[in-house]
Amino acid sequence: MKKEPRTVSIYLRPALETELEARGDNRNHVIHRDLERLYTLYSRAIREVQLTADEACLIVDTLNGTLMDANTARLLWANVEDACNLDHLDKKWEVDGPALVEKLQGLNDIQAMALVDAAERFWNSPDIGNVDIQERVKEHFYIKE
């Protein structure tokens, strides 16, 4: 079923409002354009990261309940390292923890943010309790195994 466009209200922090104003007078157009650009970049960036389904599950498990932004996403590797050392998530998901941490350390900012975004989309799935976790993770992380 196709969704119809609708009007929504949002609160803009002053710094974000300044950024939007610098990009044009039509806020609706600017927001749509910029979100489309961002989501396209996420889609491209996540496909550049070669993850297995188990590695992606470990990342999703690590980020459950964690809030990350563009400044903290680059530390995804540290969160995963802690999850492996403290919670043994590498053993749970049968992943080589140190190798995954090394892989994550090599990511650029947009790739790390794309992984965080994929994990957030996973946790925001409306039917998360009724699906196979690995299959849903593959969908969100664009993994074809």
Side-chain angles (χ1 to χ4, degrees):
M1 173 184 276
K2 183 178 176 183
K3 286 187 176 182
E4 293 296 319
R6 64 186 179 104
T7 301
V8 295
S9 297
I10 61 170
Y11 168 78
L12 297 173
R13 292 186 188 110
L16 183 56
E17 187 171 13
T18 300
E19 292 291 338
L20 285 172
E21 288 171 354
R23 287 163 173 80
D25 294 333
N26 185 333
R27 283 186 181 171
N28 183 61
H29 171 74
V30 171
I31 291 169
H32 275 267
R33 181 198 65 207
D34 289 359
L35 284 175
E36 184 177 356
R37 288 175 178 171
L38 177 64
Y39 296 153
T40 299
L41 290 174
Y42 283 169
S43 177
R44 289 179 185 169
I46 202 167
R47 285 177 166 89
E48 294 170 353
V49 181
Q50 301 296 311
L51 292 177
T52 66
D54 290 331
E55 289 172 333
C57 284
L58 188 153
I59 291 169
V60 163
D61 206 355
T62 297
L63 295 180
N64 184 8
T66 302
L67 297 175
M68 299 191 92
D69 62 23
N71 294 313
T72 59
R74 68 175 53 136
L75 298 174
L76 174 60
W77 68 268
N79 284 275
V80 168
E81 184 175 58
D82 285 348
C84 291
N85 291 336
L86 301 174
D87 300 323
H88 310 289
L89 291 187
D90 52 343
K91 293 183 183 16
K92 174 182 177 181
W93 293 107
E94 298 178 0
V95 168
D96 181 343
L100 177 58
V101 168
E102 185 177 337
K103 185 185 300 187
L104 296 176
Q105 286 175 323
L107 300 181
N108 62 41
D109 287 353
I110 191 73
Q111 290 168 329
M113 196 68 236
L115 294 179
V116 169
D117 179 71
E120 290 171 350
R121 286 185 291 114
F122 172 87
W123 287 115
N124 283 310
S125 298
D127 60 347
I128 194 64
N130 302 320
V131 296
D132 178 84
I133 291 173
Q134 283 207 331
E135 289 307 311
R136 183 53 53 91
V137 164
K138 286 179 188 179
E139 289 173 25
H140 289 294
F141 284 76
Y142 306 114
I143 297 171
K144 294 179 176 142
E145 288 186 346

